[in-house]
Amino acid sequence: MNTKHTIPSDEDLTAFIDGELTAEEAARIQTMVEEDESTAERLEFLARASLPFKQAFAPLLSEAPREKLETMLAAIPAQPSARPASTPAFASRRRFLGALAASLVVGIAIDRAVIGIGKGFSAKDENSEWRAVVADYISLYSAETLAGPVPGREDQAAQLASLDEKLGLSLSPEAVSLPGIDFKRALLLQYDGKALAQVAYLDPETGPMALCIVRSDAGPKAPDLESRKGMNVVYWSNGTHAFMLIGHGAADRMTAIAEGVRGKVAV
C-alpha cells in the first residue's frame, strides 16, 4: 500500500466520479485508486451508490417556483469544470442536489422516489449496502419533506396494499404504527433491481423516521444497532425479509420503537 499520498475524501472521490476535477487532481486520484485497494473500493461504492436523484425528483422540480429557484441558483458561484466530452450517467449529481435543496427551502414536498444502484452486490454485502444507500437517501429528508396532514386509515391501508404483491408482505396500518409518531406515506422503491418498501413517519420530537423492508434470503438475524449519516439504525431480518428502522431518535428510543414494531410486521 502506498502511503505517500493523502487518502482522498469522499468529496474528492465524488468530484472525480462527476468529472469535476482538474486534469492534475484527477490524475492524482487515479494514481491513488490504482495503488490503494481501500481507495479503489470506496470509489466503486460511491459510483455504485449514486442515486438517480434527477429522475426521482423531476416532478418536484417541475413544481418549484422557477423564477425564485433560478435566482437562488444564480447566486451560487460557478466552479471550474474539467468535465470530459462524454459525461457519466451519474454526473452533475451535486449540482442537482443544489437545485433540490433550493426547492425544499421554498416548501416543496417530495411525493415519490426511486432508489437504484448498480448490480453485482454479493449476499454478504446485501446486509449492509442497502442500509447505506437508504441512509444516504433518508438523510435528505427534513420535517418540511413530510409536512401535511396524516392520511386516514383507509388511505394508509391502500398505500400499504400496494407493497404487498411486490414484497410478499401483509402490512396493516396497525402493524406499522409507531407510538406518538405520525404515519406520513408508504412508498414502493427499488434497490439493486428489487422492490423496497419504505414507510415514512414524522416524529414530532426528532423529525423524519422510516421503516424500510427488502426481500432477503440471508437468514434470521436478531436486532442490532448502527449509526449512519448522523442517524441511528436498528436492523434485523427473518427468513424472507430484511428490515431497518432509521431516524434521529436516541439509540435506546429507536431500539424500543423497533422492538415494538418487529413482532407486528413479521411475515
Side-chain angles (χ1 to χ4, degrees):
M1 176 177 175
N2 190 324
T3 59
K4 294 180 180 180
H5 305 285
T6 302
I7 296 176
S9 65
D10 282 0
E11 182 178 2
D12 291 336
L13 292 175
T14 301
F16 177 77
I17 292 169
D18 290 349
E20 296 181 349
L21 297 178
T22 64
E24 181 180 356
E25 292 171 330
R28 180 180 70 84
I29 298 293
Q30 184 63 44
T31 299
M32 284 294 298
V33 170
E34 293 173 355
E35 296 180 352
D36 182 65
E37 182 179 355
S38 63
T39 299
E41 291 176 351
R42 187 60 183 170
L43 178 69
E44 181 183 3
F45 169 73
L46 291 172
R48 290 187 306 181
S50 298
L51 303 181
F53 292 110
K54 186 172 183 179
Q55 296 91 330
F57 297 145
L60 166 68
L61 294 180
S62 67
E63 295 174 7
R66 183 175 299 275
E67 182 177 351
K68 184 171 183 178
L69 179 58
E70 289 179 348
T71 300
M72 297 172 74
L73 293 178
I76 302 175
Q79 297 293 328
S81 176
R83 186 183 310 284
S86 177
T87 303
F90 43 76
S92 301
R93 178 180 49 204
R94 292 190 297 169
R95 282 193 293 276
F96 178 76
L97 285 176
L100 174 61
S103 298
L104 294 179
V105 166
V106 295
I108 305 297
I110 302 169
D111 291 325
R112 302 185 69 84
V114 175
I115 293 179
I117 68 173
K119 302 289 185 178
F121 286 136
S122 67
K124 179 181 178 180
D125 289 333
E126 179 188 26
N127 293 331
S128 61
E129 297 291 358
W130 81 281
R131 298 196 304 273
V133 174
V134 170
D136 281 339
Y137 180 70
I138 299 298
S139 68
L140 297 176
Y141 280 17
S142 68
E144 288 75 17
T145 307
L146 299 173
V150 176
R153 188 195 183 283
E154 184 175 342
D155 191 9
Q156 292 183 32
Q159 293 182 36
L160 292 169
S162 68
L163 311 178
D164 291 352
E165 182 179 353
K166 293 292 186 180
L167 285 101
L169 298 170
S170 181
L171 299 176
S172 67
E174 291 74 25
V176 300
S177 66
L178 305 183
I181 300 171
D182 292 336
F183 175 108
K184 285 298 183 175
R185 59 178 177 239
L187 302 175
L188 182 63
L189 310 178
Q190 181 175 293
Y191 158 79
D192 198 18
K194 299 184 298 185
L196 185 156
Q198 180 200 106
V199 184
Y201 308 86
L202 186 59
D203 179 5
E205 295 183 15
T206 62
M209 188 177 295
L211 172 68
C212 298
I213 310 169
V214 294
R215 286 186 182 271
S216 173
D217 57 5
K221 177 176 174 49
D224 205 347
L225 178 72
E226 65 184 1
S227 178
R228 291 184 182 272
K229 292 291 182 177
M231 295 174 285
N232 284 312
V233 180
V234 183
Y235 60 97
W236 69 95
S237 62
N238 57 25
T240 57
H241 294 79
F243 304 80
M244 64 179 285
L245 180 71
I246 179 171
H248 298 273
D252 56 349
R253 182 165 180 257
M254 293 294 293
T255 300
I257 293 172
E259 185 61 30
V261 76
R262 182 181 167 212
K264 296 189 295 180
V265 298
V267 293

